[in-house]
Amino acid sequence: MINAKTPVYRGLFPVAPTPFTESGDLDLEGQRRVLDCMIDQGVDGICILANYSEQFLLSDQERDILVDLCLSHVAGRKPVMVTCSHFSTQIAVQRARYAAERGASLLMLMPPYHGASLKADEGAMIGHFGRVADAANIPIMVQDAPLSGVTLTVPFLVRLACAVPLARYFKIEVPFAAAKLRSLIELGGEVIIGPFDGEEAITMMADLDAGAIGTMSSALLPDLLRPVLDHHKAGDRQEAALAYARVLPLINFENRQCGLRAAKSVMAEGGVIKCEAVRHPLEQIHPATRAGLIELAHELNPLALRWGH
């Protein structure tokens, strides 16, 4: 149960990439370096095993290894959010319990889905989130993303927050996210504790204007998103907009041209990790696309581009 003693999580909660070796194995030392770099980026928290962590390409054993490594290495320096999405409620519960027992501060959970047609109705979704919450007893970030193909209406999300009090954080990354955030906050009122922006922060300014209290970007440039958040929170929207306009071309290039590979490429260029490989069947970033990404990144000089040098 979220109560007055439970901290309200807000601000920068980027997704940590999962580095691999050239042979495709987990790069555990690289993972530690990713986490240290992110902490030095000034994040407020770290999310692991998300879609931008290539969670859908990891075995169950690898997931457990990464949960153990990340939580022990961060060691309370920042709150860690662990993604535990699965179509099976039983497996999601097992993942959630495992993460909570090892010190996770929050969970992230998508609605249950498998492929284009295996989905749960609203009653089953509430049961799914409720059983995960009962097992872990820590706050849940509900991930509302097009990837699932599940439509989560604003009235349903408010109903979910009322029925499952631990599920009161929301990462909204669907089209027209700002409008949905605004409606969610207006309809849900005080039960909506943590409305968050997502999708690499490509709609972050509009989402902050709509009432978002944080963003879940990639690990590419959270240090450059900090001024946007801080100025906006202080009521200086003009400075926030200027800071956002400065970084938006890089965010756009990441979102539209590179996807989850962008953070890895910049971190490899910056000496954070040795290898930027993604796992098959994902394709490696095209050399010309990579060159365009690095060119834009050099203009802004995010910490990820120089942390390892």
Side-chain angles (χ1 to χ4, degrees):
M1 172 71 73
I2 295 176
N3 54 49
K5 295 182 180 180
T6 305
V8 174
Y9 298 103
R10 62 190 307 143
L12 295 164
F13 268 77
V15 172
T18 303
F20 303 114
T21 65
E22 291 286 356
S23 62
D25 295 326
L26 294 178
D27 177 3
L28 300 184
E29 181 55 34
Q31 189 70 70
R32 294 184 184 94
R33 289 173 62 81
V34 165
L35 297 169
D36 288 339
C37 176
M38 292 177 72
I39 289 171
D40 287 347
Q41 286 170 329
V43 302
D44 297 298
I46 296 170
C47 179
I48 65 170
L49 299 179
N51 294 324
Y52 258 46
S53 312
E54 297 175 69
Q55 62 87 12
F56 40 80
L57 294 167
L58 299 171
S59 70
D60 291 343
Q61 181 183 20
E62 288 173 328
R63 284 182 53 90
D64 290 347
I65 289 170
L66 290 169
V67 168
D68 291 343
L69 180 150
C70 292
L71 287 165
S72 63
H73 187 72
V74 173
R77 289 179 287 169
K78 297 290 179 181
V80 176
M81 181 190 308
V82 179
T83 309
C84 58
S85 302
H86 200 281
F87 183 72
S88 164
T89 302
Q90 181 175 342
I91 294 175
V93 162
Q94 291 169 351
R95 290 178 172 184
R97 184 180 291 118
Y98 191 90
E101 287 174 349
R102 280 148 185 80
S105 297
L106 305 92
L107 305 173
M108 186 160 72
L109 188 64
M110 297 184 78
Y113 75 98
H114 185 75
S117 60
L118 278 177
K119 302 170 187 178
D121 63 21
E122 290 188 351
M125 283 193 282
I126 288 177
H128 184 83
F129 280 91
R131 287 170 62 179
V132 169
D134 289 344
N137 198 34
I138 57 177
I140 295 172
M141 176 75 73
V142 180
Q143 185 175 8
D144 181 14
L147 179 66
S148 72
V150 178
T151 299
L152 300 174
T153 67
V154 167
F156 171 72
L157 291 177
V158 173
R159 179 182 164 208
L160 173 62
C162 292
V164 185
L166 283 169
R168 293 185 172 180
Y169 286 83
F170 300 89
K171 181 187 182 186
I172 305 298
E173 46 188 341
V174 295
F176 312 110
K180 189 165 189 177
L181 280 162
R182 190 172 286 109
S183 296
L184 180 65
I185 294 165
E186 289 175 356
L187 184 63
E190 63 183 14
V191 304
I192 309 302
I193 292 176
F196 267 66
D197 160 78
E199 203 185 4
E200 299 78 73
I202 197 167
T203 59
M204 178 179 167
M205 191 66 197
D207 293 344
L208 291 176
D209 288 342
I213 66 169
T215 187
M216 294 187 65
S217 66
S218 77
L220 172 59
L221 73 169
D223 51 312
L224 303 182
L225 295 176
R226 170 60 66 192
V228 184
L229 278 170
D230 289 350
H231 286 308
H232 200 281
K233 184 180 178 182
D236 193 341
R237 189 186 181 283
Q238 183 177 7
E239 284 300 317
L242 288 172
Y244 186 62
R246 179 170 174 261
V247 299
L248 188 54
L250 180 55
I251 295 171
N252 180 275
F253 199 89
E254 173 188 30
N255 178 270
R256 304 300 294 175
Q257 306 300 328
C258 305
L260 60 83
R261 301 166 298 180
K264 283 188 166 185
S265 292
V266 170
M267 284 189 162
E269 188 76 12
V272 181
I273 57 177
K274 294 180 180 178
C275 176
E276 61 194 88
V278 293
R279 276 185 169 172
H280 194 270
L282 294 182
E283 295 181 352
Q284 303 305 129
I285 193 168
H286 189 280
T289 302
R290 187 187 191 279
L293 171 71
I294 300 304
E295 179 182 36
L296 281 171
H298 272 298
E299 293 177 6
L300 296 173
N301 200 29
L303 183 63
L305 195 58
R306 48 190 163 86
W307 186 85
H309 296 310

